[in-house]
C-alpha cells in the first residue's frame, strides 16, 4: 500500500520559515513527479511547487523566490522549504505524487497525503 505522510507544519510568525517533508512508503517515485499543493479556508486547492523526475521544477507565482521544492536521492521524500512566510500562506499543505510533472501540477497525481496545517501569524 502506497502512503504519503506529511510533516513539519505548525505556527510561525510572518517572515519566518518552515520546512515540510513528505515521506513515501510502498514505492519510490524515481520516474514520477512529486509536489505540494495547498488549500486555504474558502479557497480552491492550488499547486504550490512541483519537482519533476528529471529535476525540473514549477512554482506558483505567489511563492517564487520564497519556497524551494527538493527531493532526496532515494526519491522517496519531497521537501518544501518555505522562507519569508506571509499570513496569506496559511493553509493546509498536501503532498502529491505519481505521474508526470504536468499531471501532478494539474492535481492529477496518483497519490495524496492527508495534509499538514501551516499557520502564519501576522
Amino acid at each position: 500500500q502506497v502512503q504519503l505522510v506529511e510533516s513539519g507544519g505548525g505556527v510561525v510568525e510572518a517572515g519566518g520559515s518552515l520546512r515540510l517533508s513528505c515521506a513515501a512508503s510502498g514505492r519510490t517515485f524515481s520516474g514520477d513527479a512529486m509536489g505540494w499543493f495547498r488549500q486555504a479556508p474558502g479557497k480552491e486547492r492550488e499547486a504550490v511547487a512541483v519537482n519533476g523526475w528529471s529535476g525540473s521544477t514549477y512554482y506558483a507565482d505567489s511563492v517564487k523566490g520564497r519556497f524551494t521544492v527538493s527531493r532526496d536521492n532515494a526519491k522517496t521524500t519531497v521537501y518544501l522549504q518555505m522562507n519569508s512566510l506571509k499570513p496569506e500562506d496559511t493553509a493546509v499543505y498536501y503532498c502529491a505524487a505519481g505521474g508526470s510533472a504536468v499531471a501532478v501540477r494539474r492535481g492529477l497525481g496518483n497519490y495524496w497525503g492527508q495534509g499538514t496545517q501551516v499557520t502564519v501569524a501576522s
Side-chain angles (χ1 to χ4, degrees):
Q1 183 179 359
V2 177
Q3 286 189 316
L4 301 178
V5 179
E6 301 100 334
S7 61
V11 180
V12 64
E13 292 187 354
S17 298
L18 282 175
R19 189 191 196 205
L20 305 183
S21 299
C22 171
S25 61
R27 61 164 287 185
T28 63
F29 291 91
S30 57
D32 299 79
M34 301 182 77
W36 293 91
F37 284 70
R38 67 185 180 187
Q39 186 167 21
K43 295 187 177 181
E44 293 186 355
R45 187 176 297 187
E46 63 173 348
V48 175
V50 177
N51 184 288
W53 66 268
S54 65
S56 62
T57 55
Y58 159 82
Y59 293 98
D61 288 343
S62 58
V63 307
K64 283 180 181 176
R66 301 188 298 122
F67 291 11
T68 303
V69 62
S70 62
R71 285 205 261 184
D72 68 332
N73 290 335
K75 305 299 184 184
T76 59
T77 303
V78 62
Y79 305 97
L80 186 67
Q81 178 67 43
M82 304 185 295
N83 298 328
S84 302
L85 282 161
K86 305 175 181 180
E88 50 263 44
D89 294 318
T90 295
V92 177
Y93 283 70
Y94 298 89
C95 173
S100 69
V102 171
V104 170
R105 176 183 168 184
R106 291 177 176 176
L108 301 176
N110 295 325
Y111 306 98
W112 290 81
Q114 293 298 308
T116 184
Q117 177 70 46
V118 171
T119 302
V120 184
S122 58

